[in-house]
Amino acid sequence: MNKIDELKEFLKENIHNMVIDGGVGLSVPCPDFDLLPRDFLKFAKNELDNLNKNNDNLIHIINCLSHLKRALDCQLDTFFYQINLYNLIKKRNLSFDQKVLFLKNARVIDSSSISRLNYIRNKMEHHYIIPKIEEIEVYFDLVNAFILVLESSIAFFSIHHTITISLENEDSYNYFSFSYVFDEHPKIVFEANYLDFKITVDPSEKNEFVYFLRAFILLGKLDYMQKEHMLEELDYEIVWSSRNY
């Protein structure tokens, strides 16, 4: 049985008895970029506000789109920096689409929103079609929501660097831990001491790592997410493009 199947089987068998018992957070670093996602979002908002104020809307549309694209790219890199994967992502020269696929497979973001983002962006970049003002406004709202989602995900790590979860049933009281290890070589560690059961994954194991990250984030939501929905997320298929992560 591979690592994903081991973890999935354990979680499915026990998830209805799981309760968060505690957690340890850590200070999440902010990248030392000169400009951050919200800077580009502010620049885009300025261009959006200038639409219809003069007769040259085209330059504001183009500038707004460019700033929104930079906001997206910067937010992706900021997220990976803050979970200590930025150097690896940079070394492998992953594209925007590959970074997004990572987050989709980890279930950090929803695929439909990103599809809409790419549709609007590709109209200008690859088909040289000027989007309508209404599309720009939608694009701005989607990018803003995208940034908020990733910021919230990062906030999760500041609370849950290690999660301790108890298994409550009539016969016994056991617990296990799930940790995202922020060191020079990041890894995710799942350990159930009472079963002498421990699994460690690192980014070189692309499927295992992204799946364990998904499970780690999901278990942090035990207090407020329905267990049936969590089980659905655990079954979500991992899909990569032709270019490997």
Side-chain angles (χ1 to χ4, degrees):
M1 186 181 296
N2 62 40
K3 292 180 178 180
I4 291 177
D5 289 338
E6 280 189 273
L7 179 64
K8 186 185 295 187
E9 181 177 297
F10 177 87
L11 295 179
K12 285 188 171 184
E13 288 179 355
N14 295 284
I15 197 164
H16 290 288
N17 295 322
M18 291 180 185
V19 178
I20 290 183
D21 198 49
V24 178
L26 78 167
S27 178
V28 178
C30 183
D32 57 354
F33 305 154
D34 288 339
L35 294 168
L36 294 170
R38 289 199 170 273
D39 293 314
F40 293 115
L41 197 64
K42 180 175 66 177
F43 301 154
K45 182 65 166 59
N46 289 338
E47 296 294 338
L48 196 60
D49 289 342
N50 283 322
L51 288 173
N52 295 322
K53 288 186 178 180
N54 54 55
N55 294 324
D56 191 10
N57 278 339
L58 178 59
I59 187 63
H60 296 305
I61 289 174
I62 301 302
N63 285 344
C64 185
L65 277 174
S66 297
H67 290 315
L68 289 174
K69 179 182 181 298
R70 295 184 188 104
L72 275 176
D73 290 334
C74 188
Q75 183 57 66
L76 282 169
D77 285 342
T78 298
F79 178 85
F80 286 116
Y81 183 97
Q82 292 181 307
I83 64 171
N84 202 24
L85 294 179
Y86 179 68
N87 289 335
L88 177 64
I89 296 294
K90 191 173 181 180
K91 180 180 179 181
R92 296 185 180 179
N93 194 28
L94 296 190
S95 67
F96 173 88
D97 290 338
Q98 281 299 119
K99 295 174 187 177
V100 167
L101 263 179
F102 180 98
L103 297 182
K104 284 170 62 176
N105 283 322
R107 305 301 287 151
V108 173
I109 58 173
D110 179 72
S111 59
S112 60
S113 298
I114 293 301
S115 296
R116 295 184 68 190
L117 286 171
N118 281 338
Y119 172 75
I120 297 172
R121 188 171 75 158
N122 289 340
K123 281 180 66 174
M124 185 188 80
E125 292 192 353
H126 301 297
H127 301 286
Y128 310 110
I129 298 173
I130 301 171
K132 298 176 182 178
I133 292 176
E134 293 80 10
E135 289 181 314
I136 298 298
E137 292 171 341
V138 170
Y139 190 34
F140 179 90
D141 290 341
L142 287 172
V143 172
N144 187 40
F146 179 85
I147 290 174
L148 286 171
V149 167
L150 291 194
E151 286 178 341
S152 297
S153 297
I154 288 300
F156 169 88
F157 287 97
S158 68
I159 300 170
H160 299 301
H161 156 53
T162 295
I163 309 169
T164 303
I165 296 174
S166 61
L167 298 175
E168 298 183 344
N169 54 57
E170 296 179 357
D171 301 323
S172 61
Y173 177 84
N174 297 307
Y175 67 91
F176 65 90
S177 65
F178 220 155
S179 301
Y180 190 103
V181 181
F182 288 77
D183 60 15
E184 184 179 355
H185 303 288
K187 55 184 175 286
I188 304 174
V189 181
F190 173 86
E191 186 170 13
N193 290 327
Y194 71 100
L195 294 175
D196 194 24
F197 178 42
K198 180 177 180 179
I199 312 175
T200 300
V201 298
D202 64 61
S204 68
E205 306 165 274
K206 65 172 186 177
N207 284 345
E208 291 80 1
F209 189 83
V210 76
Y211 187 85
F212 273 61
L213 178 59
R214 179 198 306 178
F216 177 73
I217 294 173
L218 274 174
L219 291 181
K221 302 175 182 179
L222 273 170
D223 286 343
Y224 55 88
M225 186 174 182
Q226 289 187 345
K227 304 293 178 62
E228 288 74 18
H229 292 163
M230 297 179 76
L231 290 171
E232 290 175 5
E233 293 291 294
L234 289 171
D235 276 335
Y236 186 88
E237 184 181 1
I238 294 175
V239 179
W240 302 103
S241 69
S242 57
R243 180 182 175 186
N244 290 331
Y245 161 68

